[in-house]
Amino acid sequence: MKPESLEYAYKNENITGIYLIPDYHNPTASFMSVENRKIIAEIAKKYNLFVIEDASYHLLGKNPLPALASFAPEQVIHIASLSKSLAPGLRLAYVAVPYQFKEPVSRALYNLNITVSPLLAELAARTIVSNQFEVLIEGHREQTICRNQIANRYFADYTCLGGETGIFRWLLLPGGITGAEFEKLAAEHGVQVYAAERFVVGNSCPERAVRVSVCAPETLEELEKGLIILRRLLNDLA
């Protein structure tokens, strides 16, 4: 997100808030720079905009960048999830809410009838306060780095964006094939990827790209098998 575009949207489109994924943006795997985080935070404070900061992937990094909430704590609703960084079975998230938004957020959650399993909440709390929390995250991180190294090897001749601790990559396609066409082609060969068309908003023109999940396969062997198929398809297109 460009800060100047945010100011333009506020002045011309009557927006009152924004939703952001600053770390490991889904699907492009990109990061918002610290400078942009600071500027957007200042804009939010200037115009009293609320910001929903989706930090589901924040804990994946070795040295996480400062959250946008740290620059505008009174404007940012910060959401942290455990399912991506700790364990897929922990389907719960924590929300840090500025005082001015506490009542409407609480009312919204009540109206949506959202509840969390007490057992999962207790398990998560005990894991966080124990010494196992950091150990488990580091174990996942090491596994993810290993998987990305394998992906880098097979996509060495192509542009595949994303960091070593990210759980998915953004693969730019050669030739004139679209993301949707490549998704269909890959599926015919037994590999599931997600085309850029699935993520495009409004009338935006999608990139010729697909999202490749490196952590979905259960084993390294299964991952490598899928990457071999994808590279063969890419070589046929090049």
Side-chain angles (χ1 to χ4, degrees), residues 180-202:
E181 291 169 341
F182 189 82
E183 178 182 319
K184 181 180 179 182
L185 180 63
E188 292 171 352
H189 289 79
V191 180
Q192 176 69 68
V193 295
Y194 280 161
E197 284 83 348
R198 289 179 177 267
F199 304 95
V200 72
V201 177

Side-chain angles (χ1 to χ4, degrees), residues 86 124-138:
L86 190 61
R126 293 192 180 202
T127 304
I128 290 171
V129 299
S130 73
N131 293 327
Q132 293 302 305
F133 183 71
E134 288 79 7
V135 172
L136 290 170
I137 288 181
E138 183 58 31

Side-chain angles (χ1 to χ4, degrees), residues 8 65-66 72 76 88 94 117:
Y8 178 88
L65 296 176
V76 181
Y94 296 86
S117 163

